[in-house]
Amino acid sequence: MVSATPPAPADGRRVALLTLGCARNEVDSEELAARLHSDGWQVTTDGEGADVVVVNTCGFVEKAKQDSIQTLLAAAETGAKVVAAGCMAERYGRELAESLPEAQAVLSFDDYPDISDRLQTVLAGTAIDAHTPRDRRELLPLTPVRRAEAAVSLPGHGTPATGSHSGTRSAPIEVDEHTPAHLRPVLRRRLDTGPVASLKLASGCDRRCAFCAIPAFRGAFVSRPPEALLAEAEWLAKTGVRELVLVSENSSSYGKDLGDPRALEKLLPQLAAVDGIVRVRASYLQPAETRPGLVETIATTPGVAPYFDLSFQHSSETVLRRMRRFGSTDRFLELLGSIRELAPEAGARSNFIVGFPGETRADVAELVRFLEEARLDAIGVFDYSDEDGTEAAGLPGKVTAATVKRRYDRLSSLADELCAQRAEQRLGSTVQVLVDSVDGGAVEGRAAHQAPEVDGSTTLVAPAEGGVDLTALCPGDLVQCTVTATEGVDLVAVPEAMISAAPGVAR
């Protein structure tokens, strides 16, 4: 293998990539960064002094869309050329361009492979016609196993041409299914230096949840080949990554279009075995697709976090059917019970929507029953709002805004109380903490049940005697700790022993 040496920027073109929304967007931005860097752009995440600011927008719910608009407007105030990309840009296209003249261009996912040319066009002052949005599910074959053959732009799936520079490595060989992972090219450039990175399993979704517009603008479900994922995992490990967070719209569907519904069960141990990786975390699991074999793999495989990010959304069977989903309070409790039989301390989190059309007091009571029995470590509560192009927007039985707010406030308060109680149940337990940051003597990390940003964190404090020297800890260290206190969902713990020290760090 020959290490890539991207060309030095010939004309000082500087582009800032600002990313909003989910971890999947972060991966997409790092693919864009690799494409731009390999074409000579200086890539940054700071809009000050940039020639072009690309805002990778989120278009999931109304608040996310407003955040995207505000970020685009703020970027325009810097004097740079402003480009909208990402989900909101894909979802609204020409409509967004017409309503937001501050943006010099609104790009589709189809523009990503030619992102450098598009930005050069913007710098030259030439207008780019915004696209007319279309249902991206229609771009791919209905049969999942035929989708790999389709020539459709899939953000986060990019592979550089064989022998070309990618911004990460080059591969002077022909790549096929037999090419080892360490020789495969990787199209990604990291935009931060932390010990945790997301790894994108797949794009799109084949489910038809009544409240969700994502499949229409992200497209049908397409898995990335295991060989590509292993290659990227190895590359990430060499950049200092210690924890991989597997992301997609629906991770439990991984492999169905590859002809292997057990593909994730096979992939997880392989990723955990990558040199330098100490923790692999799966996220975005659909309860109806979380098979016993997958539960066992996540709960019992060394190096895989016993962590279950389950998309319940509600627990009333009546509401779930209206949402075009499956399950019930008892079925979900049974699933959680099967997890805890294998791993009693396993982490579990989920999100829930209150105020969905037709939701009654009895439905809310059923959801409360579930939450009180489920012992979830983290609970996200969302108040329902109509979304463009979704089935739910046209459903009868709308719940009044005042009632939605009342239910949201009640469930949010209950969630905070229950998650704090769950954290207290971990007092005195032993947890493995990956150190995320060390700042002025304050050491922050996460236990196996705590995913980045969404599930709380663990603060490490100096032991009374013995144990691990707190001042010697560095980001990327994996430490065995004892939980001594809680603060809401957050833990306080004493480091007892080093499990795996971050490599290449002077101590």
PDB file of all heavy atoms in Angstrom, residues 210-236:
ATOM      1  N   ALA A 210     -45.411   6.189   9.440  1.00  0.00           N
ATOM      2  CA  ALA A 210     -46.326   7.241   8.992  1.00  0.00           C
ATOM      3  C   ALA A 210     -45.835   8.640   9.316  1.00  0.00           C
ATOM      4  O   ALA A 210     -46.244   9.603   8.656  1.00  0.00           O
ATOM      5  CB  ALA A 210     -47.697   7.009   9.639  1.00  0.00           C
ATOM      6  N   PHE A 211     -44.961   8.779  10.320  1.00  0.00           N
ATOM      7  CA  PHE A 211     -44.524  10.105  10.754  1.00  0.00           C
ATOM      8  C   PHE A 211     -43.214  10.546  10.113  1.00  0.00           C
ATOM      9  O   PHE A 211     -42.765  11.676  10.339  1.00  0.00           O
ATOM     10  CB  PHE A 211     -44.348  10.126  12.278  1.00  0.00           C
ATOM     11  CG  PHE A 211     -43.431   9.041  12.783  1.00  0.00           C
ATOM     12  CD1 PHE A 211     -42.054   9.169  12.741  1.00  0.00           C
ATOM     13  CD2 PHE A 211     -43.957   7.857  13.289  1.00  0.00           C
ATOM     14  CE1 PHE A 211     -41.219   8.176  13.200  1.00  0.00           C
ATOM     15  CE2 PHE A 211     -43.130   6.839  13.747  1.00  0.00           C
ATOM     16  CZ  PHE A 211     -41.753   7.004  13.700  1.00  0.00           C
ATOM     17  N   CYS A 212     -42.566   9.676   9.330  1.00  0.00           N
ATOM     18  CA  CYS A 212     -41.182   9.910   8.914  1.00  0.00           C
ATOM     19  C   CYS A 212     -41.073  10.171   7.418  1.00  0.00           C
ATOM     20  O   CYS A 212     -41.571   9.397   6.601  1.00  0.00           O
ATOM     21  CB  CYS A 212     -40.318   8.717   9.300  1.00  0.00           C
ATOM     22  SG  CYS A 212     -38.560   8.946   8.940  1.00  0.00           S
ATOM     23  N   ALA A 213     -40.364  11.250   7.063  1.00  0.00           N
ATOM     24  CA  ALA A 213     -40.146  11.595   5.654  1.00  0.00           C
ATOM     25  C   ALA A 213     -38.772  11.164   5.160  1.00  0.00           C
ATOM     26  O   ALA A 213     -38.468  11.308   3.971  1.00  0.00           O
ATOM     27  CB  ALA A 213     -40.309  13.107   5.461  1.00  0.00           C
ATOM     28  N   ILE A 214     -37.938  10.636   6.033  1.00  0.00           N
ATOM     29  CA  ILE A 214     -36.546  10.359   5.669  1.00  0.00           C
ATOM     30  C   ILE A 214     -36.402   9.450   4.443  1.00  0.00           C
ATOM     31  O   ILE A 214     -35.594   9.745   3.550  1.00  0.00           O
ATOM     32  CB  ILE A 214     -35.776   9.781   6.879  1.00  0.00           C
ATOM     33  CG1 ILE A 214     -35.561  10.882   7.921  1.00  0.00           C
ATOM     34  CG2 ILE A 214     -34.436   9.192   6.457  1.00  0.00           C
ATOM     35  CD1 ILE A 214     -34.894  10.402   9.190  1.00  0.00           C
ATOM     36  N   PRO A 215     -37.142   8.336   4.331  1.00  0.00           N
ATOM     37  CA  PRO A 215     -36.937   7.479   3.154  1.00  0.00           C
ATOM     38  C   PRO A 215     -37.134   8.193   1.834  1.00  0.00           C
ATOM     39  O   PRO A 215     -36.465   7.877   0.842  1.00  0.00           O
ATOM     40  CB  PRO A 215     -37.971   6.362   3.356  1.00  0.00           C
ATOM     41  CG  PRO A 215     -38.172   6.295   4.830  1.00  0.00           C
ATOM     42  CD  PRO A 215     -38.098   7.720   5.279  1.00  0.00           C
ATOM     43  N   ALA A 216     -38.028   9.182   1.793  1.00  0.00           N
ATOM     44  CA  ALA A 216     -38.312   9.868   0.533  1.00  0.00           C
ATOM     45  C   ALA A 216     -37.110  10.666   0.043  1.00  0.00           C
ATOM     46  O   ALA A 216     -36.873  10.762  -1.164  1.00  0.00           O
ATOM     47  CB  ALA A 216     -39.525  10.775   0.686  1.00  0.00           C
ATOM     48  N   PHE A 217     -36.338  11.255   0.967  1.00  0.00           N
ATOM     49  CA  PHE A 217     -35.191  12.043   0.498  1.00  0.00           C
ATOM     50  C   PHE A 217     -33.851  11.356   0.724  1.00  0.00           C
ATOM     51  O   PHE A 217     -32.846  11.761   0.145  1.00  0.00           O
ATOM     52  CB  PHE A 217     -35.195  13.466   1.084  1.00  0.00           C
ATOM     53  CG  PHE A 217     -35.175  13.551   2.587  1.00  0.00           C
ATOM     54  CD1 PHE A 217     -33.993  13.472   3.290  1.00  0.00           C
ATOM     55  CD2 PHE A 217     -36.342  13.773   3.292  1.00  0.00           C
ATOM     56  CE1 PHE A 217     -33.967  13.589   4.668  1.00  0.00           C
ATOM     57  CE2 PHE A 217     -36.339  13.893   4.669  1.00  0.00           C
ATOM     58  CZ  PHE A 217     -35.147  13.801   5.368  1.00  0.00           C
ATOM     59  N   ARG A 218     -33.818  10.295   1.511  1.00  0.00           N
ATOM     60  CA  ARG A 218     -32.587   9.517   1.660  1.00  0.00           C
ATOM     61  C   ARG A 218     -32.580   8.270   0.770  1.00  0.00           C
ATOM     62  O   ARG A 218     -31.532   7.701   0.501  1.00  0.00           O
ATOM     63  CB  ARG A 218     -32.391   9.108   3.125  1.00  0.00           C
ATOM     64  CG  ARG A 218     -31.678  10.148   3.974  1.00  0.00           C
ATOM     65  CD  ARG A 218     -30.228  10.285   3.599  1.00  0.00           C
ATOM     66  NE  ARG A 218     -29.509  11.208   4.464  1.00  0.00           N
ATOM     67  CZ  ARG A 218     -28.197  11.439   4.378  1.00  0.00           C
ATOM     68  NH1 ARG A 218     -27.477  10.835   3.464  1.00  0.00           N
ATOM     69  NH2 ARG A 218     -27.610  12.283   5.176  1.00  0.00           N
ATOM     70  N   GLY A 219     -33.763   7.838   0.363  1.00  0.00           N
ATOM     71  CA  GLY A 219     -33.837   6.712  -0.553  1.00  0.00           C
ATOM     72  C   GLY A 219     -34.054   5.381   0.125  1.00  0.00           C
ATOM     73  O   GLY A 219     -34.216   5.281   1.336  1.00  0.00           O
ATOM     74  N   ALA A 220     -34.065   4.335  -0.696  1.00  0.00           N
ATOM     75  CA  ALA A 220     -34.245   2.970  -0.200  1.00  0.00           C
ATOM     76  C   ALA A 220     -32.978   2.492   0.509  1.00  0.00           C
ATOM     77  O   ALA A 220     -31.899   3.060   0.369  1.00  0.00           O
ATOM     78  CB  ALA A 220     -34.588   2.042  -1.359  1.00  0.00           C
ATOM     79  N   PHE A 221     -33.139   1.412   1.246  1.00  0.00           N
ATOM     80  CA  PHE A 221     -32.038   0.898   2.079  1.00  0.00           C
ATOM     81  C   PHE A 221     -30.941   0.254   1.223  1.00  0.00           C
ATOM     82  O   PHE A 221     -31.225  -0.601   0.386  1.00  0.00           O
ATOM     83  CB  PHE A 221     -32.582  -0.138   3.068  1.00  0.00           C
ATOM     84  CG  PHE A 221     -31.560  -0.627   4.049  1.00  0.00           C
ATOM     85  CD1 PHE A 221     -31.330   0.056   5.228  1.00  0.00           C
ATOM     86  CD2 PHE A 221     -30.817  -1.771   3.790  1.00  0.00           C
ATOM     87  CE1 PHE A 221     -30.381  -0.393   6.134  1.00  0.00           C
ATOM     88  CE2 PHE A 221     -29.879  -2.228   4.687  1.00  0.00           C
ATOM     89  CZ  PHE A 221     -29.653  -1.536   5.863  1.00  0.00           C
ATOM     90  N   VAL A 222     -29.697   0.675   1.459  1.00  0.00           N
ATOM     91  CA  VAL A 222     -28.538   0.106   0.758  1.00  0.00           C
ATOM     92  C   VAL A 222     -27.413  -0.095   1.765  1.00  0.00           C
ATOM     93  O   VAL A 222     -26.951   0.862   2.399  1.00  0.00           O
ATOM     94  CB  VAL A 222     -28.039   1.015  -0.382  1.00  0.00           C
ATOM     95  CG1 VAL A 222     -26.846   0.370  -1.094  1.00  0.00           C
ATOM     96  CG2 VAL A 222     -29.155   1.308  -1.382  1.00  0.00           C
ATOM     97  N   SER A 223     -26.968  -1.328   1.920  1.00  0.00           N
ATOM     98  CA  SER A 223     -25.855  -1.653   2.813  1.00  0.00           C
ATOM     99  C   SER A 223     -24.518  -1.369   2.143  1.00  0.00           C
ATOM    100  O   SER A 223     -24.382  -1.496   0.929  1.00  0.00           O
ATOM    101  CB  SER A 223     -25.886  -3.136   3.205  1.00  0.00           C
ATOM    102  OG  SER A 223     -27.075  -3.488   3.857  1.00  0.00           O
ATOM    103  N   ARG A 224     -23.536  -0.995   2.948  1.00  0.00           N
ATOM    104  CA  ARG A 224     -22.162  -0.931   2.453  1.00  0.00           C
ATOM    105  C   ARG A 224     -21.535  -2.322   2.578  1.00  0.00           C
ATOM    106  O   ARG A 224     -21.810  -3.050   3.546  1.00  0.00           O
ATOM    107  CB  ARG A 224     -21.345   0.082   3.241  1.00  0.00           C
ATOM    108  CG  ARG A 224     -21.830   1.517   3.102  1.00  0.00           C
ATOM    109  CD  ARG A 224     -20.969   2.462   3.911  1.00  0.00           C
ATOM    110  NE  ARG A 224     -19.607   2.490   3.408  1.00  0.00           N
ATOM    111  CZ  ARG A 224     -18.563   2.991   4.087  1.00  0.00           C
ATOM    112  NH1 ARG A 224     -18.750   3.460   5.318  1.00  0.00           N
ATOM    113  NH2 ARG A 224     -17.366   2.994   3.559  1.00  0.00           N
ATOM    114  N   PRO A 225     -20.676  -2.714   1.659  1.00  0.00           N
ATOM    115  CA  PRO A 225     -20.059  -4.039   1.748  1.00  0.00           C
ATOM    116  C   PRO A 225     -19.209  -4.177   3.017  1.00  0.00           C
ATOM    117  O   PRO A 225     -18.567  -3.208   3.443  1.00  0.00           O
ATOM    118  CB  PRO A 225     -19.170  -4.105   0.499  1.00  0.00           C
ATOM    119  CG  PRO A 225     -19.719  -3.072  -0.426  1.00  0.00           C
ATOM    120  CD  PRO A 225     -20.276  -1.997   0.445  1.00  0.00           C
ATOM    121  N   PRO A 226     -19.192  -5.349   3.627  1.00  0.00           N
ATOM    122  CA  PRO A 226     -18.384  -5.539   4.835  1.00  0.00           C
ATOM    123  C   PRO A 226     -16.919  -5.196   4.621  1.00  0.00           C
ATOM    124  O   PRO A 226     -16.261  -4.647   5.511  1.00  0.00           O
ATOM    125  CB  PRO A 226     -18.565  -7.028   5.155  1.00  0.00           C
ATOM    126  CG  PRO A 226     -19.771  -7.464   4.429  1.00  0.00           C
ATOM    127  CD  PRO A 226     -19.941  -6.567   3.258  1.00  0.00           C
ATOM    128  N   GLU A 227     -16.399  -5.498   3.436  1.00  0.00           N
ATOM    129  CA  GLU A 227     -14.985  -5.227   3.157  1.00  0.00           C
ATOM    130  C   GLU A 227     -14.696  -3.732   3.224  1.00  0.00           C
ATOM    131  O   GLU A 227     -13.642  -3.311   3.734  1.00  0.00           O
ATOM    132  CB  GLU A 227     -14.605  -5.769   1.772  1.00  0.00           C
ATOM    133  CG  GLU A 227     -14.761  -7.273   1.618  1.00  0.00           C
ATOM    134  CD  GLU A 227     -16.195  -7.682   1.271  1.00  0.00           C
ATOM    135  OE1 GLU A 227     -17.062  -6.781   1.108  1.00  0.00           O
ATOM    136  OE2 GLU A 227     -16.459  -8.895   1.182  1.00  0.00           O
ATOM    137  N   ALA A 228     -15.624  -2.917   2.727  1.00  0.00           N
ATOM    138  CA  ALA A 228     -15.429  -1.465   2.782  1.00  0.00           C
ATOM    139  C   ALA A 228     -15.488  -0.966   4.222  1.00  0.00           C
ATOM    140  O   ALA A 228     -14.732  -0.066   4.623  1.00  0.00           O
ATOM    141  CB  ALA A 228     -16.482  -0.771   1.928  1.00  0.00           C
ATOM    142  N   LEU A 229     -16.376  -1.529   5.019  1.00  0.00           N
ATOM    143  CA  LEU A 229     -16.500  -1.119   6.411  1.00  0.00           C
ATOM    144  C   LEU A 229     -15.258  -1.490   7.209  1.00  0.00           C
ATOM    145  O   LEU A 229     -14.767  -0.707   8.024  1.00  0.00           O
ATOM    146  CB  LEU A 229     -17.738  -1.761   7.031  1.00  0.00           C
ATOM    147  CG  LEU A 229     -19.073  -1.267   6.458  1.00  0.00           C
ATOM    148  CD1 LEU A 229     -20.203  -2.165   6.923  1.00  0.00           C
ATOM    149  CD2 LEU A 229     -19.332   0.172   6.869  1.00  0.00           C
ATOM    150  N   LEU A 230     -14.732  -2.677   6.964  1.00  0.00           N
ATOM    151  CA  LEU A 230     -13.515  -3.096   7.668  1.00  0.00           C
ATOM    152  C   LEU A 230     -12.328  -2.233   7.264  1.00  0.00           C
ATOM    153  O   LEU A 230     -11.489  -1.878   8.101  1.00  0.00           O
ATOM    154  CB  LEU A 230     -13.231  -4.573   7.395  1.00  0.00           C
ATOM    155  CG  LEU A 230     -14.202  -5.555   8.068  1.00  0.00           C
ATOM    156  CD1 LEU A 230     -14.043  -6.949   7.482  1.00  0.00           C
ATOM    157  CD2 LEU A 230     -13.961  -5.579   9.574  1.00  0.00           C
ATOM    158  N   ALA A 231     -12.251  -1.879   5.991  1.00  0.00           N
ATOM    159  CA  ALA A 231     -11.165  -1.012   5.530  1.00  0.00           C
ATOM    160  C   ALA A 231     -11.247   0.348   6.209  1.00  0.00           C
ATOM    161  O   ALA A 231     -10.236   0.898   6.673  1.00  0.00           O
ATOM    162  CB  ALA A 231     -11.237  -0.854   4.012  1.00  0.00           C
ATOM    163  N   GLU A 232     -12.457   0.891   6.286  1.00  0.00           N
ATOM    164  CA  GLU A 232     -12.609   2.200   6.915  1.00  0.00           C
ATOM    165  C   GLU A 232     -12.343   2.122   8.409  1.00  0.00           C
ATOM    166  O   GLU A 232     -11.757   3.041   9.002  1.00  0.00           O
ATOM    167  CB  GLU A 232     -14.006   2.748   6.647  1.00  0.00           C
ATOM    168  CG  GLU A 232     -14.177   4.199   7.025  1.00  0.00           C
ATOM    169  CD  GLU A 232     -15.446   4.803   6.460  1.00  0.00           C
ATOM    170  OE1 GLU A 232     -15.782   4.515   5.290  1.00  0.00           O
ATOM    171  OE2 GLU A 232     -16.092   5.584   7.182  1.00  0.00           O
ATOM    172  N   ALA A 233     -12.748   1.027   9.046  1.00  0.00           N
ATOM    173  CA  ALA A 233     -12.484   0.849  10.470  1.00  0.00           C
ATOM    174  C   ALA A 233     -10.982   0.810  10.736  1.00  0.00           C
ATOM    175  O   ALA A 233     -10.488   1.422  11.697  1.00  0.00           O
ATOM    176  CB  ALA A 233     -13.149  -0.428  10.975  1.00  0.00           C
ATOM    177  N   GLU A 234     -10.239   0.092   9.901  1.00  0.00           N
ATOM    178  CA  GLU A 234      -8.782   0.030  10.064  1.00  0.00           C
ATOM    179  C   GLU A 234      -8.164   1.411   9.879  1.00  0.00           C
ATOM    180  O   GLU A 234      -7.260   1.805  10.623  1.00  0.00           O
ATOM    181  CB  GLU A 234      -8.183  -0.969   9.076  1.00  0.00           C
ATOM    182  CG  GLU A 234      -8.513  -2.414   9.395  1.00  0.00           C
ATOM    183  CD  GLU A 234      -7.725  -3.385   8.523  1.00  0.00           C
ATOM    184  OE1 GLU A 234      -6.830  -2.942   7.784  1.00  0.00           O
ATOM    185  OE2 GLU A 234      -8.001  -4.598   8.613  1.00  0.00           O
ATOM    186  N   TRP A 235      -8.665   2.150   8.886  1.00  0.00           N
ATOM    187  CA  TRP A 235      -8.132   3.484   8.653  1.00  0.00           C
ATOM    188  C   TRP A 235      -8.441   4.408   9.828  1.00  0.00           C
ATOM    189  O   TRP A 235      -7.583   5.169  10.290  1.00  0.00           O
ATOM    190  CB  TRP A 235      -8.715   4.058   7.354  1.00  0.00           C
ATOM    191  CG  TRP A 235      -8.254   5.451   7.087  1.00  0.00           C
ATOM    192  CD1 TRP A 235      -7.069   5.834   6.541  1.00  0.00           C
ATOM    193  CD2 TRP A 235      -8.962   6.653   7.404  1.00  0.00           C
ATOM    194  NE1 TRP A 235      -7.005   7.209   6.486  1.00  0.00           N
ATOM    195  CE2 TRP A 235      -8.143   7.729   7.008  1.00  0.00           C
ATOM    196  CE3 TRP A 235     -10.210   6.917   7.969  1.00  0.00           C
ATOM    197  CZ2 TRP A 235      -8.531   9.056   7.162  1.00  0.00           C
ATOM    198  CZ3 TRP A 235     -10.594   8.238   8.136  1.00  0.00           C
ATOM    199  CH2 TRP A 235      -9.766   9.290   7.741  1.00  0.00           C
ATOM    200  N   LEU A 236      -9.663   4.334  10.345  1.00  0.00           N
ATOM    201  CA  LEU A 236     -10.037   5.164  11.483  1.00  0.00           C
ATOM    202  C   LEU A 236      -9.170   4.843  12.695  1.00  0.00           C
ATOM    203  O   LEU A 236      -8.733   5.746  13.420  1.00  0.00           O
ATOM    204  CB  LEU A 236     -11.514   4.963  11.823  1.00  0.00           C
ATOM    205  CG  LEU A 236     -12.514   5.600  10.854  1.00  0.00           C
ATOM    206  CD1 LEU A 236     -13.923   5.085  11.114  1.00  0.00           C
ATOM    207  CD2 LEU A 236     -12.481   7.130  10.957  1.00  0.00           C
TER     208      LEU A 236
END
